[in-house]
Amino acid sequence: MAEPAETTSETGPAVFTGNLAASPPLPPESVAAANRLMEAGRLFRYGEAGGAPSEAALLEEEFAALTGGRYCVAVNSCGCALFLALAAAGATRGDKVLLNAFTLAPAVGAIAHLGAEPVLVEVTPDLVIDIEDLTAKAEASGAKYLLLSYMRGHIPDMDRVMAACETAGITVIEDCAHATMATWDGKPIGRFGAAGCFSAQGYKHLNGGEGGLIVTEDADLAARAILMSGSYMLYAQHRARPEMETMARWRGTMPNFSMRMNDLAAAVLRPQLPLLAGRVERWREIHGRIAARLTQSNRIRLPAPDPRAYLAPTSLQFLLEEMDGPAIEAAVAAAAARGVAIKWFGAAEPVGFTSRPEHWGFLPPQPAPAATEAVLARLCDIRLPVGLTDAECDLIAGIVLDAVSENAPN
Ligand SMILES: *Cc1c(COP(=O)(O)O)cnc(C)c1O
């Protein structure tokens, strides 16, 4: 971080003075690309008269290469990417869509947007989908779609999830908003289901302000998503698209939902792609360093990732054991007083980006996912800006350890 973030006052314990909500500045190449586009007045991805490839078309090509996917469609947000991917995969009004109950509100929103019915599936204390419950809910509901949300980047046993879905005839759409660059057994996350959806919202791995990317191997799904994203009859300007015969098969039958990516967002995103792998490595070090220190407390339980998963964390989660709501609130307040913002998923009202099923008053009636609610009642979350130094990581870990030990009952 740019400013000195550590101060040790003579009268009290050390305070973290950095900003956990900060995003790093964009690379100079992003700023230059944005300026070029603004000077040219060309902020829309399609040109009626053709011309040079748009930034969005190039981003799609480059993101497809990065993830090893065949087709890629850039849109205005990951929430819209999820909606379009579900729609392009054939999900429609009234369909039931399975969704793990630990997720961000836009995932459940994408299903509601479609007029479909979310069917909530439990997560385990390791924050991944509970595969037994997935199988049971699939059977009970007859759902043929799963929106698999890697909330906060946690990856389930993909071999078992995909096998269970194949047996039940379920089409999987992956919500990779927190899992960009993550892999399972060497295969990129986002390439397991019919489509993978990524976010370029400023708080994720890539900062386009807003933005979403759909990656798929399915030519028909890609064609439908391109047309529904609002390509008009200018879809030939896409580069990571299916053959024109496939496009022609669907043109004229797909509604235009106007969910295109702004070319300015694409311009600032492209120079970030080559930096991603290095950033994820640093994020992993930051996460690992803090997590290793937190294991000193017997009140803190860290999710145990499967060794086959290569995670790309941008935040850190832990469960507080044997602490009730008021004790957790006191620990959160003690950390906040020393500059460390801990988000608690158990709060009565949603705060910031946290929410949980009981806050989604639009859901169709269904039994509350009790196991997930019990996990979320203990779940804490800390955002990790990629610019944290090792000293800052140690300070943050120390503050969390103090806050917990001071407020845990003996
Ligand atoms: C951020 C996020 C989304 C939505 O992404 P947007 O680009 O903000 O629409 C969906 N799912 C998860 C898990 C997220 O974290």
Side-chain angles (χ1 to χ4, degrees), residues 77-79 82 103-104 106-107 149 151 175 177-178 199-201 204 210-211:
S77 73
C78 179
L82 295 170
T103 185
L104 208 74
S149 183
M151 177 63 164
D175 170 10
H178 285 159
S199 178
Q201 186 249 70
K204 312 296 168 84
E210 296 276 7

Side-chain angles (χ1 to χ4, degrees), residues 49-117:
S54 70
E55 295 287 333
L58 294 170
L59 174 70
E60 288 165 341
E61 203 169 47
E62 290 158 4
F63 196 76
L66 186 75
T67 51
R70 179 140 191 207
Y71 308 115
C72 179
V73 192
V75 296
N76 56 344
S77 73
C78 179
C80 287
L82 295 170
F83 162 80
L84 287 170
L86 282 165
T92 187
R93 186 163 296 278
D95 283 351
K96 294 195 161 80
V97 179
L98 298 152
L99 169 69
N100 43 296
F102 174 47
T103 185
L104 208 74
V108 68
I111 300 171
H113 190 171
L114 200 63
E117 277 195 26

Side-chain angles (χ1 to χ4, degrees), residues 99-102 119-123 133 137 356-358 360 363 366-376:
L99 169 69
N100 43 296
F102 174 47
V119 176
L120 298 179
V121 180
E122 300 280 19
V123 300
D133 196 53
K137 295 266 168 65
R356 58 176 195 267
E358 71 175 59
W360 305 331
L363 287 180
Q366 61 189 300
T372 303
E373 296 281 12
V375 168
L376 299 189

